[in-house]
Amino acid sequence: MDQKKQLEAAGVENEAAGHGSLSQVALDELVASSDTGARTPAGLASKLILGVALVWSLFQLWIASPLPYMLGVGILNDTQARSFHLAFALFLGFAAYPAARSRLDLAIGLSVPALLVVLFMIGAKEGVNTWWIPVFGLCVMAAILAGSPKHRVPSWEWAMALLAAGSAFYTYLFYESISQRVGAPITQDFVVAVLGIMLLLEAARRSLGPALMVVATLFLVYTFLGPLMPAIVSHKGNALSEVVNHQWITTEGVFGIALGVSTSFVFLFVLFGSLLDKAGAGNYFIQVAFSLMGHLRGGPAKAAVVSSAMTGLISGSSIANVVTTGTFTIPLMRKVGFSAEKAGAIEVASSVNGQIMPPVMGAAAFLMVEYVGLSYFEVVKHAFLPALISYIALVYIVHLEAMKSNLQALPRSYEPGPLMQRLVGLAFAIVAICVLSFLVYYGMGWIRPTFGNKAGFVVFALLVLVYLGLLVVASREEALKLDDPNEPTTSLPVPGPTARAGLHYILPVVVLVWSLMVDRLSPGLSAFWASAFMIFILLTQRPLMAMLRGEGALLARVSEGFSDLLDGLVSGARNMIGIGIATATAGIIVGAVSQTGVGSALADVVEVLSGGHLMAILFLTAVLSLILGMGLPTTANYIVVSALLAPVIVTLGQQNGLIVPLIAVHLFVFYFGIMADVTPPVGLASFAAAAVSGGDPVKTGVVAFFYSLRTAALPFLFIFNTELLLIDVTWLQGVFVFLIATAAMLLFAAATQGWFLTRNRVHESLLLLLIAFSLFRPGFWMDRIVPPFQSVAPATIEDAVMQVEPGEEIRLTVDGLDQLGDPVSFVGVLPVAAGETGVDRLVGSGLQYVVEGETVRIDNVTYDSPAQEAGFDWDQIVTNVSIPNAQPSKYWMFIPALMLLGLVVLLQRRRSS
């Protein structure tokens, strides 16, 4: 309920509970309290906060650009850049966020420093002077207790901001000396680390609510008090010197991978989204969505889904997405007949889904690159199809809701042309886009070798020409303005003029996608070039548009462009305060996991609770991801659930014969962590939507949860059917998988919503669920008819591999010891190498063994071989060998599934007629 308290502190609790929707001022305050900082001081303090935010954005652009290397000035390594990044975030965290939002926040804020003092004193060994630890704790508690108003920053909070920033900056100032004493911290290291951890957790409470602060504190408790824990999760415990070294001095904890991704990639993508929004792209997306879909049944709701999807492409915040698009879409949904709860729930479901949609995925895409070890292109490729299917299904759910309630569409303000004319126009547009893409792709391939080092200038000149051409097109249309959704009548914008009025906003997105997907530049450099082009657009679009329209006042337009740019740079930095602090705080959790080995202990807990049943393991992991994700922003959410629960699925799945690619496991826990943004009682996105709609926030969250069941079903499906993630499929197979999976998800939505062609009967819903499952996982039924693997005796392993073509895989079940020396049994997948004999093939795969009667013992595993990657090690006992079995195509199972679908259609059409 801590998230609800955050809304109460914004003064919106009564209105959000159903007593009326909020004003725009209150909504802006709601977003600020959650994302950018609720404090609005006047005078010098305000200018200082804005100035620091501006400098932060400029610093991030500098380190991402090629300029430091070209000029030989300001070159920072990863650790030093992280130090600057966290220093900015902590300073702004204390300056922009007041001390307490509620009594619960205050109680937790006072309790955690006291608890940390106790833990640090317990962990301190003899010879370490610790009198200053309780002094620091009392000072932090006194500053929290003194409180701070929203409209000014007290002196003690400036002191906390400077001390926090200094603690983060310490690793930069003393980088050389620290690198020479890693593992042997001195008193100075102790002081800075203890103070830094205390202030970091306090900054997390202010900017993110108490949830992440509490979770991180519990992991510190576990780190220090390991011997006092239950036997299944106990460990030796760690001293203060070990924690200081691991969490603050090295890059294993606070300054680890998560903060590094925030520094290198995430900031620039958030900044790019902020600049794009300041330019007017957010309004453009909403208008285009309404012009295309507003005339359909439930049109405003469908447009809300599409506009939220487009906004979610570049947004890292569920609540900002809800409020930005929901301010316009929710009143229109209510106008055509949706209840307050359903209108809010549709906006919540679509906005939260923006966090699973590439290319940003709430920054999780960039973290997956580091954690999974895949390229950014591969991560986006695997994540794209489930996200797209989920959005298509949500549009269909909206359609079903409109059918159930017999809702009507909004009136068009124009007469559409004949259907054939529109189809021909659409086909022509598709062909034109394909031809243009072809020309651009091969044109770029000609420009680079032709112009060499000057190719970048040529590309920029061509981009400017295209930009000017699109501005000419836009200048001939009326400027886009949002209609007031609370007016009695609303006319829909005309699609053609609406789309043409903002085509230049798509150019920076094209630059970003091209850099990422075609040129395969790093995410940071790609976002830099896209942001640089976005800055150029912000500075020029107003004066150029004024010239083309003959409006005059060019100096005023130039000034407005600079103002937009400054606002975008400041907003981007303020949007990053919470993310920067979240990634650093989540680093404490990741550091505790690596220091204590709690991951393997958690796997034991899940195995005991599940009884070793595979579906029970997945279900428990999903529930734990949902619980751990409550109250956490998207980035911290993914860091926590992936660090704790992804290894659980990999370990227990392998022990139960389920070999899952690591990317599928990470997407599984990420999806369920994101569901926490929807699910009561802590779903902040649902409270934000209720604040706009005037509906009940808990009911809104419950309805949004049922709308999001399609998202919850997808992870279970792609764990067992990795084709949904486009793993090991051709492009033609990918198109086929997309069409079948989309049809299956639409049938699943029809079953869960109780409406297909007409209202479902119970047996029809069950049949639709069965059909959807069969389309998603045809292999499940085929495996029951013809097993995919044939088991042979371990002693016949040489003959078995000769029955398998080189490049195919066999599965070996082995008994051995895990990293902690405990007995473990698991299944490993071994690719078969080429060779004349079975022994040659196994040795070529890296596996050497000894046959002792009926027992096969692994004698050696070649370094960096497929056998080592599969987890095999010396002295393991092979208990079973499974080779592929000849099996008919699993797609034959579509025939009975489609026959059942025909039966349901026949029954419903007969009843509806």
Side-chain angles (χ1 to χ4, degrees), residues 637-800:
N637 183 325
Y638 169 66
I639 296 168
V640 173
V641 296
S642 63
L644 286 174
L645 299 177
V648 172
I649 297 180
V650 172
T651 302
L652 298 182
Q654 194 175 30
Q655 292 176 13
N656 288 271
L658 178 65
I659 310 299
V660 187
L662 192 57
I663 182 65
V665 175
H666 278 254
L667 286 172
F668 181 93
V669 297
F670 176 59
Y671 268 53
F672 281 102
I674 290 300
M675 287 288 289
D677 280 347
V678 178
T679 312
V682 193
L684 184 56
S686 299
F687 281 94
V692 180
S693 69
D696 182 88
V698 176
K699 289 182 181 178
T700 300
V702 171
V703 176
F705 175 79
F706 281 102
Y707 288 162
S708 300
L709 283 177
R710 76 210 185 284
T711 306
L714 278 170
F716 284 99
L717 295 167
F718 61 58
I719 281 287
F720 292 100
N721 182 8
T722 55
E723 287 181 350
L724 286 171
L725 302 179
L726 300 179
I727 294 176
D728 297 330
V729 297
T730 64
W731 281 106
L732 188 60
Q733 290 173 320
V735 172
F736 176 73
V737 168
F738 168 69
L739 295 175
I740 296 298
T742 301
M745 185 52 71
L746 296 183
L747 293 174
F748 177 83
T752 54
Q753 294 303 307
W755 190 285
F756 186 33
L757 302 180
T758 186
R759 191 173 299 279
N760 297 344
R761 289 176 177 167
V762 174
H763 63 277
E764 291 171 343
S765 291
L766 293 176
L767 283 175
L768 288 173
L769 287 174
L770 178 62
I771 296 164
F773 177 77
S774 301
L775 294 178
F776 269 123
R777 279 206 65 202
F780 176 84
W781 304 113
M782 187 58 72
D783 290 349
R784 299 301 178 275
I785 299 172
V786 180
F789 293 98
Q790 174 186 352
S791 295
V792 298
T796 64
I797 186 172
E798 296 176 18
D799 296 330

Side-chain angles (χ1 to χ4, degrees), residues 94-223:
F94 282 101
Y97 288 88
R101 303 177 180 183
S102 67
R103 292 181 180 177
L104 176 62
D105 279 352
L106 182 62
I108 293 175
L110 294 173
S111 302
V112 167
L115 179 59
L116 290 178
V117 167
V118 174
L119 292 176
F120 293 150
M121 296 293 286
I122 291 174
K125 300 296 184 182
E126 292 184 8
V128 178
N129 197 340
T130 58
W131 63 265
W132 45 269
I133 295 179
V135 173
F136 281 171
L138 288 173
C139 289
V140 172
M141 293 170 67
I144 297 171
L145 193 60
S148 55
K150 287 186 176 181
H151 303 295
R152 68 181 182 88
V153 184
S155 57
W156 56 86
E157 301 228 305
W158 286 122
M160 293 175 75
L162 291 172
L163 285 172
S167 299
F169 205 53
Y170 175 75
T171 55
Y172 170 76
L173 291 175
F174 297 92
Y175 180 78
E176 293 297 332
S177 59
I178 288 175
S179 62
Q180 297 173 9
R181 61 171 187 270
V182 173
I186 60 177
T187 302
Q188 181 175 288
D189 298 336
F190 279 95
V191 172
V192 172
V194 167
L195 182 61
I197 290 173
M198 283 186 179
L199 292 177
L200 172 61
L201 291 175
E202 168 58 16
R205 183 189 66 83
R206 291 168 178 246
S207 58
L208 306 166
L212 184 58
M213 179 195 202
V214 170
V215 173
T217 304
L218 290 177
F219 273 88
L220 287 175
V221 171
Y222 179 75
T223 302

Side-chain angles (χ1 to χ4, degrees), residues 373-438:
L374 295 176
S375 68
Y376 177 81
F377 179 83
E378 290 294 316
V379 169
V380 168
K381 183 184 80 171
H382 297 322
F384 177 71
L385 199 58
L388 180 61
I389 292 171
S390 185
Y391 262 116
I392 293 173
L394 184 56
V395 173
Y396 183 60
I397 287 173
V398 169
H399 177 72
L400 294 177
E401 287 287 356
M403 295 291 291
K404 284 192 284 186
S405 304
N406 195 27
L407 302 181
Q408 301 305 310
L410 289 174
R412 279 174 166 157
S413 59
Y414 62 96
E415 286 297 326
L419 178 61
M420 185 56 65
Q421 179 182 346
R422 283 181 280 160
L423 291 176
V424 170
L426 178 62
F428 178 77
I430 293 173
V431 170
I433 292 172
C434 292
V435 171
L436 182 61
S437 302
F438 178 85

Side-chain angles (χ1 to χ4, degrees), residues 574-591:
R574 295 195 67 160
N575 288 335
M576 270 301 300
I577 297 172
I579 297 176
I581 293 172
T583 52
T585 308
I588 294 177
I589 299 169
V590 175

Side-chain angles (χ1 to χ4, degrees), residues 460-472:
F460 178 71
L462 292 174
L463 272 174
V464 171
L465 288 175
V466 174
Y467 167 61
L468 291 174
L470 293 178
L471 277 184
V472 171

